[in-house]
Structures are given as C-alpha cells and as structure tokens.
Amino acid sequence: MKIALQQLEQHVAKSLAPIYLISGDETLLVQEAVDFLRKYAQQKGFSERVRITTEAGSDWGKLLHTHAHSLSLFADYRLLELDLRGVKLNQANAEWLQDYAENPAENTVLILSLSKLDAKTEQSKWVKAIDKKGVMVPIWPVSTEQLPQWILQRAKKSGLTLTGKAAAHLAYRVEGNLLAAAQEIEKLSLLQLQHDIDENTLEAIISDHAHFDVFQLVDSVLSGNGKRALHILQTLFGEETEPTLILWALTRELSTLSDMHQQQKQGVALSTLFGKFRIWEKRQAPVRAFLKRCPETVCWNFLLQAAEIDRIIKGVEPGNACDRLEQLVLGMAGHPPAGL
C-alpha cells in the first residue's frame, strides 16, 4: 500500500504495518519520517531496536534474514532499521528483501529508508512484495514555490508566527535546503519571541547570531582565509551541526562556481554572472578571488571530494566525514593539508 507522508500519522494510529519503505531525496523529511515511526513503535512496546549496517561490502541481506529468524533475548517486539540511501542493491540482497517482504517476521517492524525509487526499481519483485505486505511512503521534494508555505507550517508547529514576507525571505536565503530552513526555525524558537516575525526582524536575528553558520564558512573559504574557515567548521562541529548541511553549503557554492567558469569560457562577463547568480556586492570580491585561484578543473575535483564525503556520511564508504570536511575546506581556501 502506498500513502502520502501527510497520511503517515493517521495510518499508524490505526495499526502498525510489518514493513515501511520510506523513499525520497529530501534527506530531512525521510529522516523525520523514520524518527517518527521509531518513536511511535517504541511507545507501542517495540523496545528492542536493531540497526543493520549497510556499509559497502557488507552482506546486510543475510544479516536481515538472521535477525528476522532469531529469537530475541531482550524483548518480545523488535524494530529493525535498514538505511539503504546511496546503496546499490545486488541480486542477492534484492532476493533477501523479497523473501523478507513475503514472509515478514512476527512481532517485528522493519523500517527501510531509500533514495528516490526510479521506475525500474519500482517494478522490481522486492518492491512489489513490500507494496503488498507493507506500506510505502514516497517523499517528494518541496518545490521553490511551496517552500514559503512549508516554512510557515513548520514555524507554527514550533510556536512561531512568521509573516508571509519573512517566510519568503527565509526560503530565498536557504535556497531550497529544508535542513537549513528547519535549523533556522529551531534557532528562532529558542528565542521565545512573543510577537510576529517580519522579514526585517528575521534578517536582524539571523545576522546577530553570535555563533557561526554555514554561510560564514563558505564566505571564509571563498576569501582564502583557511584559519578562520577551519575555526568556523570546528565550531559548527561543536554545535552538532549536521555534516549534511555543511556539505550542502559547500557543494552548492562549488556547483555555482563551476557553472560560472563554464559561462566565462563562453564569453559571458563576470559582472553579468554576478547578477544572474544573485551574488551580492559584498561577496563579489571573494568569489572573484576564488575563480582566479581555482580553475574549473579544480572545482570539479572539489566536487568529487564532496561526493565521496556524501557517501561516507550515508555509510556507503568507510571514513571520517569530519576529517574529510576539514580537508575539503582547507583545500578550497587554498591551504590544502600536507600530503594532499
């Protein structure tokens, strides 16, 4: 059975299905759906939680089969979690999933999280088996036009009242990144404001935050200030900022800079590109310096490093995401660590 994300809360209130497949490329919404299911299941007595690793090379399909058919020593009801985002299924693991979906374990809830399913995968036997026995929750991206309304609704849940212009301003600032928008709303909620927040108040609050944010990190990188960039990055780590958010900010900037390089080669003036990519006057000098310091091939190399970090964050590849982010930040700032 397939349901929309908005129907999930109403669905579980009736009964829990043996399998849930949460799929989509909107990381925040996928993770929040998984967190909601986990919390609800635990409230209903599914006290034992087993998270099956899906690192590259691991035989997670066999592990799923083992857990499904082994007796629990700790609880009568179990919760199995399998994060397959960024994981490429081989035939053996696909067959394990199909077998489990056709014969789900008793007193067990399996939560699968995946990236957006393509048309071919949706027609696979294991997906059809889950659709028959469990619940599929496809999560669609929030469009640019929908984002201000999404921000208003999320702010309301946090006890905040934003004006329409404030929501539009925040949507413009985060440029479609839900995680960044959610974190800004969370910061605002901590201030316990008792009045409506308009766009001027919002900008003043965001600008006056004493701690660093990912946008300051990007500006320091562009300026070539490796020492300050590293300090900001370590501060973000200390504040438990999601590595996904940090990587998003760096990747977005690199993609823009790469596009600017390509269009410069086609003869487009840099002043025109500043307007096209909405680069404010105070950021134009750092962007100009970065473009001069890092040619297009270097930008692409940084994007490849970012892709590797993304796979590490998702558990697809081994490695320390924080260490690799430090290396990427220093490299982009023009101060690569020794040996790189």
Side-chain angles (χ1 to χ4, degrees):
M1 177 175 65
K2 186 178 293 187
I3 65 173
L5 176 61
Q6 295 79 3
Q7 299 173 300
L8 184 58
E9 187 171 347
Q10 182 182 0
H11 163 79
V12 298
K14 298 177 181 178
S15 63
L16 277 169
I19 308 173
Y20 288 91
L21 190 157
I22 315 296
S23 63
D25 292 332
E26 205 65 80
T27 303
L28 175 68
L29 299 184
V30 171
Q31 190 58 53
E32 287 186 342
V34 171
D35 292 343
F36 168 76
L37 284 171
R38 179 193 306 125
K39 183 177 179 180
Y40 188 87
Q42 290 174 338
Q43 290 174 348
K44 292 299 181 180
F46 290 78
S47 55
E48 182 184 352
R49 177 192 173 201
V50 178
R51 188 176 184 276
I52 302 173
T53 181
T54 56
E55 293 181 356
S58 66
D59 195 356
W60 52 261
K62 191 173 182 179
L63 279 174
L64 172 63
H65 179 80
T66 300
H67 283 296
H69 297 284
S70 62
L71 294 176
S72 172
L73 300 176
F74 305 102
D76 294 329
Y77 296 91
R78 292 177 302 171
L79 183 64
L80 302 181
E81 294 184 25
L82 192 56
D83 188 346
L84 298 177
R85 286 173 287 183
V87 176
K88 186 175 182 179
L89 272 69
N90 56 35
Q91 184 62 32
N93 284 331
E95 289 176 358
W96 283 120
L97 281 177
Q98 180 185 347
D99 179 70
Y100 183 92
E102 293 173 347
N103 302 281
E106 293 184 3
N107 301 328
T108 300
V109 170
L110 171 63
I111 302 176
L112 296 169
S113 49
L114 294 94
S115 303
K116 180 183 176 182
L117 301 180
D118 56 33
K120 182 179 179 181
T121 304
E122 285 195 352
Q123 296 303 314
S124 63
K125 293 180 180 180
W126 68 270
V127 170
K128 288 185 176 181
I130 291 175
D131 188 31
K132 185 176 181 180
K133 289 288 185 72
V135 174
M136 297 175 59
V137 186
I139 295 180
W140 306 104
V142 177
S143 67
T144 302
E145 294 75 18
Q146 295 170 329
L147 184 55
Q149 185 60 33
W150 184 89
I151 289 173
L152 288 172
Q153 293 173 350
R154 193 173 185 94
K156 185 177 181 180
K157 290 181 179 179
S158 298
L160 298 170
T161 302
L162 270 65
T163 65
K165 288 185 177 180
H169 180 76
L170 182 54
Y172 171 77
R173 192 175 193 275
V174 300
E175 295 192 15
N177 188 282
L178 297 192
L179 182 57
Q183 291 200 343
E184 290 297 344
I185 292 170
E186 184 178 353
K187 295 173 190 175
L188 291 171
S189 68
L190 294 175
L191 298 176
Q192 298 182 334
L193 300 174
Q194 301 300 316
H195 55 80
D196 291 359
I197 302 172
D198 60 22
E199 68 271 27
N200 294 325
T201 303
L202 176 69
E203 182 59 30
I205 291 172
I206 292 175
S207 300
D208 289 344
H209 279 156
H211 60 270
F212 296 114
D213 61 27
V214 293
F215 303 103
Q216 290 171 296
L217 172 66
V218 170
D219 287 344
S220 295
V221 165
L222 294 178
S223 300
N225 192 336
K227 183 177 180 180
R228 184 171 186 269
L230 188 59
H231 174 61
I232 293 174
L233 181 63
Q234 291 172 343
T235 301
L236 291 171
F237 289 155
E239 294 176 346
E240 298 184 352
T241 302
E242 290 284 347
T244 302
L245 177 58
I246 299 171
L247 184 63
W248 163 78
L250 296 171
T251 303
R252 182 189 69 168
E253 200 70 25
L254 284 169
S255 296
T256 297
L257 293 163
S258 179
D259 288 344
M260 292 178 73
H261 266 307
Q262 291 181 1
Q263 294 189 36
Q264 272 189 300
K265 288 194 302 184
Q266 296 169 3
V268 182
L270 194 54
S271 57
T272 301
L273 294 175
F274 285 152
K276 179 178 180 179
F277 289 98
R278 297 181 179 179
I279 296 175
W280 301 337
E281 186 175 351
K282 67 178 183 178
R283 299 188 71 240
Q284 290 178 8
V287 168
R288 192 187 301 272
F290 184 93
L291 290 171
K292 185 176 181 180
R293 185 173 71 245
C294 301
E296 184 181 1
T297 54
V298 175
C299 286
W300 276 109
N301 183 53
F302 288 144
L303 283 169
L304 289 174
Q305 292 180 42
E308 291 177 5
I309 296 170
D310 181 58
R311 292 194 291 272
I312 291 172
I313 292 173
K314 293 175 178 177
V316 181
E317 290 187 9
N320 186 302
C322 293
D323 289 346
R324 292 296 302 277
L325 279 169
E326 288 183 359
Q327 294 171 7
L328 177 61
V329 163
L330 288 173
M332 290 176 63
H335 303 280
L340 291 182

